[in-house]
Amino acid sequence: MVRDVVSAPDATGCPRRVTRRFPLFTRDTARPEGGGRAAPGGAPAPARQWPLLTVVGLVALGLLITALDEFRAGTLIIGLALLGGAVLRWLLPDVGMLAVRSRFTDIATYGVLGLAIVLLALMIQPDPLLKLPFLKDILHFTLTK
């Protein structure tokens, strides 16, 4: 029996000592934040993972369109799919395997990568849809002595 200050009971029901130290050996793991399902447990596996399948399907579609020589359209779809993944991760409480790390990390990662891909797709040469004049000056500055 533990006689000093105790916390809530552990998995076996026995009281534990309160300590701020990390244990030497991990006996169990916390359920990951994304460990929940996006659909009820009785639904078939693909239905439970619809957020991940949506993002992966759109990225696959973008890669296919890129392979068919429509580079700008394909990369735009890939970037928009990642931005959609960030929005799904932000809005839905359970996104299944779309959750990799913490909610903030997932949103930041999907959002930054998606935004970068969309911006690069809009600046593809020839005839870019987005022109940033300072980029030409930076390039000129780096190539001249």
Side-chain angles (χ1 to χ4, degrees):
M1 183 83 186
V2 178
R3 296 185 186 270
D4 36 347
V5 180
V6 294
S7 66
D10 62 6
T12 62
C14 298
R16 294 183 336 174
R17 282 176 219 225
V18 175
T19 179
R20 296 178 66 189
R21 295 172 125 182
F22 290 107
L24 290 176
F25 301 103
T26 303
R27 293 190 177 23
D28 59 351
T29 57
R31 182 172 173 236
E33 185 180 346
R37 297 181 174 121
R48 291 192 307 256
Q49 298 299 332
W50 70 266
L52 175 70
L53 292 175
T54 302
V55 173
V56 170
L58 286 172
V59 168
L61 177 68
L63 289 172
L64 178 66
I65 291 172
T66 302
L68 295 174
D69 214 20
E70 289 294 331
F71 190 72
R72 180 173 299 169
T75 52
L76 271 173
I77 291 173
I78 293 169
L80 292 174
L82 289 174
L83 288 173
V87 169
L88 287 173
R89 186 71 173 100
W90 182 31
L91 294 178
L92 298 177
D94 294 321
V95 290
M97 290 174 60
L98 187 63
V100 179
R101 301 286 181 202
S102 70
R103 186 178 300 270
F104 174 78
T105 303
D106 285 343
I107 292 170
T109 303
Y110 293 141
V112 167
L113 289 175
L115 185 64
I117 291 172
V118 166
L119 289 175
L120 289 172
L122 293 175
M123 291 188 284
I124 291 173
Q125 298 290 333
D127 302 322
L129 299 174
L130 178 65
K131 296 179 183 178
L132 301 176
F134 64 87
L135 289 180
K136 193 173 193 179
D137 296 335
I138 291 172
L139 183 64
H140 179 72
F141 178 73
T142 58
L143 294 178
T144 59
K145 292 182 180 185

